[in-house]
Amino acid sequence: MASWKQFVDDAPDLARRVRARFEATAQHVLATRTLTGSPRVSGTKVGFARDEAWIGSSSRSGKSMDLRLDPRFVLHSNPGDGTMTSGDVKIDGTARGSSADDARRFGPAGTAEPGEPFRLFWIDLSRVVLTTVDGEEVRTETWRPGAGVQVDERAR
């Protein structure tokens, strides 16, 4: 696992493009594992603070409970208009719970229901994949901690 800062230090250009993809739209898709082991897919916001990336949710939401029981997740960027010109991002990783103070300082206003506690999770990365389409070419850039960036280009 690696922090967002480690990713930025190791692959700054890729990290910049991945971050831009998450900042382009407000909602993204998070996959977690429920107590019974079945998958759960939820909408989530992604933010960046203190050289780290985070996801947030209401403290009593299913995804929040899932991440406290099993911190593994897959995060998929919002597909946007479907052209894939700015890319499609998938992140595999684990979530670390934060302090209540972090949630108050960094949590997005309006994410949780009024009066409901907000839970912030810092994310650690095991794999980041950015796929882009340019004409008839599909380019996939994959980063893993300690392995750097591997690039695969192929025709559609």
Side-chain angles (χ1 to χ4, degrees):
M1 291 295 156
S3 68
W4 182 262
K5 181 175 180 355
Q6 289 169 298
F7 174 44
V8 169
D9 290 347
D10 192 43
D13 180 59
L14 179 58
R16 178 189 54 75
R17 291 181 286 130
V18 166
R19 180 174 176 163
R21 189 67 196 92
F22 281 111
E23 290 178 334
T25 57
Q27 288 290 321
H28 303 283
V29 178
L30 179 73
T32 57
R33 184 181 308 246
T34 68
L35 180 62
T36 64
S38 62
R40 182 190 318 265
V41 179
S42 307
T44 195
K45 293 187 179 197
V46 178
F48 300 89
R50 294 195 316 211
D51 293 326
E52 295 200 64
W54 57 262
I55 52 179
S57 98
S58 160
S59 292
R60 292 187 289 257
S61 72
K63 69 182 166 186
S64 185
M65 289 185 277
D66 294 348
L67 290 171
R68 286 187 293 223
L69 292 169
D70 183 344
R72 296 175 293 174
F73 67 84
V74 176
L75 178 63
H76 188 186
S77 64
N78 184 313
D81 64 5
T83 63
M84 299 262 300
T85 55
S86 59
D88 177 62
V89 177
K90 292 180 191 77
I91 295 177
D92 298 341
T94 59
R96 286 180 284 120
S98 67
S99 69
D101 186 49
D102 283 342
R104 278 191 299 277
R105 289 188 304 165
F106 300 114
T111 297
E113 293 297 319
E116 184 163 337
F118 180 76
R119 181 88 178 172
L120 185 74
F121 294 92
W122 301 111
I123 64 174
D124 291 324
L125 316 169
S126 59
R127 183 178 72 145
V128 177
V129 179
L130 173 64
T131 303
T132 52
V133 176
D134 185 13
E136 292 301 311
E137 184 175 278
V138 177
R139 178 182 173 96
T140 303
E141 298 170 78
T142 304
W143 176 85
R144 288 184 177 87
V149 178
Q150 281 79 44
V151 178
D152 177 45
E153 295 178 331
R154 64 185 184 281
R156 278 208 266 190

